[in-house]
Amino acid sequence: MSEKRPTLPWIPFYYRDFLASTMGWSTTERGAYALLLFAQWEAGPLDSDPLVLASIAGVTAEEMRQMWKRIGRKFRD
């Protein structure tokens, strides 16, 4: 039986690290990355399906496929 981790009402977000690590990214890429980070914090590992990721980020699947080339590196081990 798997234990569900407790949900905290806050996320430790280090804005300087976020800004430094996304320097040169478009606003859309930064927004999608932030939304994916928040979803991962809330629910655990993300699904690798571009349609699911796009839905979370509020972009089209094609936009996610393009952005994932950059954003996806942040979610790999």
Side-chain angles (χ1 to χ4, degrees):
M1 180 178 200
S2 67
E3 288 185 38
K4 185 176 179 183
R5 68 182 175 97
T7 302
L8 298 175
W10 54 271
I11 182 173
F13 185 79
Y14 301 94
Y15 74 92
R16 285 184 180 155
D17 291 342
F18 178 84
L19 292 175
S21 70
T22 60
M23 195 64 60
W25 290 22
S26 71
T27 302
T28 304
E29 289 170 329
R30 281 181 167 173
Y33 176 45
L35 290 170
L36 292 171
L37 282 174
F38 301 154
Q40 181 175 317
W41 178 260
E42 183 66 25
L46 297 174
D47 191 311
S48 61
D49 182 346
L51 291 173
V52 173
L53 297 172
S55 176
I56 293 168
V59 298
T60 68
E62 184 54 36
E63 288 172 318
M64 181 52 66
R65 283 185 191 93
Q66 289 300 312
M67 288 190 289
W68 193 249
K69 294 172 187 173
R70 177 174 273 171
I71 296 171
R73 293 180 289 187
K74 300 288 191 178
F75 292 96
R76 295 197 181 110
D77 294 332

